[in-house]
Amino acid sequence: MMAQLNINQKIGVGLLLGLLLVASGIVQWSPYHIADQDLSGRLLAPSAEHWLGTDHFGRDMLTRIASAIQLSFVLSFFCVLTSATLGVSLGVITAWKGGRLAQGMDVIVNILLALPGLVLVLLFAAIVPGSLLVLYLAITLTQWVEYFRVSRAITHTIINSPARQLSEMMGFGPWYQFRRHIWPELTHSILTLASFGGANAILTMASLGFVYVGIQPPLAELGLMSVELFPYYAQAPWILVQPLIAIATLVFGFHLLAGNKHDSAH
């Protein structure tokens, strides 16, 4: 698998895996908890005791950043997994069956496309602020449509190909036809969409944190941390840039992982 990746994708995989492993290790072994407060040690500069300093409540920034990165990874993974599974399944079935199912799916997809994705997520998040489940469902609801459209278009082309029709004439079932003809053509496009989907899920979660309807305390979340720490940028600018750098690094890693088909061919 790694041998088939181009250099940018390998860097992206290494960057994301490194962040996840380091963040998980810090959360596991840190002597501090994300909610531990020490008001006598507010806004401390990085030191041997607090490697990234402390925030406005005296909480250890390294532990909180690591926990927020871990949370971002978990949520983005499940959002991508669910939306990709749902979108690809419905796309393939719709292209294969056609008829009224295709007409009905067109109506549903057009309705969702008419609604701005972030507005839809904001609506769900505002109804139940701080709910990880609702946030996960809302992001998944906005992302599955892209997988559906791409997989439907590719499947429709493959369905009408002589190779697929020959397999059907020889008596091979739908599952074999999917694995032999459709899935190999879907793989690259789905992995690219999944990479961008992971980045978009992280940005969406951070955006909700900016307006206080995303993940709520005591959980640490990069967007919420950024807006909470903004009033202290003059006193302790190092604590403000840390969650921003974490968001940028995560998104950069996912975008590198997306790669492109031309590079992969080399």
Side-chain angles (χ1 to χ4, degrees):
M1 179 67 179
M2 286 294 291
Q4 298 176 355
L5 302 180
N6 61 47
I7 184 63
N8 287 340
Q9 291 174 314
K10 291 178 180 178
I11 293 173
V13 170
L15 181 60
L16 293 173
L17 283 179
L19 278 174
L20 179 59
L21 291 175
V22 170
S24 300
I26 291 172
V27 171
Q28 181 69 29
W29 301 106
S30 174
Y32 306 101
H33 186 268
I34 58 172
D36 289 342
Q37 299 184 15
D38 180 11
L39 297 181
S40 63
R42 299 170 63 251
L43 304 178
L44 294 180
S47 63
E49 185 177 1
H50 298 284
W51 289 10
L52 296 182
T54 61
D55 67 2
H56 53 303
F57 289 120
R59 297 173 295 192
D60 182 66
M61 282 297 295
L62 179 62
T63 305
R64 289 181 60 77
I65 289 288
S67 178
I69 289 175
Q70 192 178 51
L71 178 64
S72 296
F73 266 111
V74 170
L75 185 62
S76 63
F77 172 79
F78 281 106
C79 288
V80 167
L81 179 64
T82 306
S83 57
T85 302
L86 179 63
V88 171
S89 300
L90 290 176
V92 172
I93 293 172
T94 301
W96 207 311
K97 298 297 183 181
R100 292 185 177 180
L101 175 62
Q103 295 174 359
M105 290 304 301
D106 283 339
V107 172
I108 295 173
V109 168
N110 288 333
I111 291 174
L112 290 175
L113 290 176
L115 299 172
L118 184 58
V119 173
L120 191 61
V121 176
L122 278 169
L123 178 63
F124 275 81
I127 294 174
V128 188
S131 171
L132 271 173
L133 177 60
V134 170
L135 186 56
Y136 152 72
L137 292 175
I139 295 175
T140 300
L141 180 63
T142 62
Q143 288 193 349
W144 73 269
V145 175
E146 292 301 320
Y147 297 94
F148 170 82
R149 297 174 68 193
V150 170
S151 59
R152 179 182 178 181
I154 295 175
T155 302
H156 190 269
T157 301
I158 303 301
I159 286 294
N160 298 319
S161 68
R164 203 286 307 177
Q165 292 175 351
L166 180 60
S167 292
E168 185 177 32
M169 292 173 60
M170 294 177 65
F172 291 107
W175 179 241
Y176 172 85
Q177 296 174 45
F178 172 76
R179 289 188 297 109
R180 177 66 178 84
H181 301 288
I182 298 174
W183 180 244
E185 297 297 324
L186 289 176
T187 304
H188 182 269
S189 297
I190 297 306
L191 290 178
T192 300
L193 284 176
S195 299
F196 286 121
N200 289 337
I202 290 171
L203 286 175
T204 300
M205 184 163 57
S207 300
L208 296 178
F210 290 146
V211 292
Y212 292 99
V213 295
I215 305 301
Q216 301 294 307
L219 291 177
E221 192 276 314
L222 295 171
L224 181 61
M225 291 173 67
S226 300
V227 74
E228 283 183 336
L229 296 171
F230 183 76
Y232 307 96
Y233 73 92
Q235 299 169 258
W238 57 86
I239 62 171
L240 175 60
V241 301
Q242 290 169 18
L244 298 178
I245 290 175
I247 294 172
T249 304
L250 287 169
V251 173
F252 180 61
F254 276 110
H255 281 195
L256 285 176
L257 182 59
N260 60 74
K261 195 168 185 176
H262 175 75
D263 290 344
S264 297
H266 296 280

